[in-house]
């Protein structure tokens, strides 16, 4: 039970942190972020709605674009 709760919490943190990073970058739209990392607006939306989980390659691209670490996006450190 604990591991399921921990997984859900981590996914929600990822969702919120991606949205927060976009907001801090001049209210960047999902479409703008998608273009910068080679994804689609739909994918960004699904990550932020916690419908799909971001894949490792895209997590790395998001980190590089925003200049943050995976620890920041995963909620292991404050962004």
């Amino acid at each position: 039970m604990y591991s399921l709760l921990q997984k859900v919490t981590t996914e929600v943190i990822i969702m919120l942190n991606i949205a927060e990073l976009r907001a801090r970058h001049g209210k960047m739209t999902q479409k703008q972020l998608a273009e910068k990392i080679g994804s689609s607006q739909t994918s960004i939306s699904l990550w932020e709605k916690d419908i799909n989980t971001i894949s490792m390659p895209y997590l790395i691209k998001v980190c590089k674009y925003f200049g943050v670490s995976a620890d920041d996006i995963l909620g292991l450190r404050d962004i």
Side-chain angles (χ1 to χ4, degrees), residues 2-12 53:
Y2 175 75
S3 62
L4 177 60
L5 179 60
Q6 185 178 17
K7 181 179 187 289
V8 170
T9 302
T10 301
E11 289 172 356
V12 170
T53 303

Side-chain angles (χ1 to χ4, degrees), residues 48-61:
E48 290 185 3
K49 291 179 182 175
D50 194 26
I51 294 171
N52 283 352
T53 303
I54 189 170
S55 67
M56 188 61 64
Y58 283 109
L59 176 62
I60 292 167
K61 288 179 181 188

Side-chain angles (χ1 to χ4, degrees), residues 32-70:
Q32 289 169 323
L33 176 57
E35 290 170 355
K36 297 290 184 185
I37 66 169
S39 185
S40 68
Q41 183 274 325
T42 301
S43 291
I44 307 293
S45 176
L46 293 174
W47 300 337
E48 290 185 3
K49 291 179 182 175
D50 194 26
I51 294 171
N52 283 352
T53 303
I54 189 170
S55 67
M56 188 61 64
Y58 283 109
L59 176 62
I60 292 167
K61 288 179 181 188
V62 169
C63 290
K64 285 182 178 179
Y65 178 76
F66 288 118
V68 298
S69 73

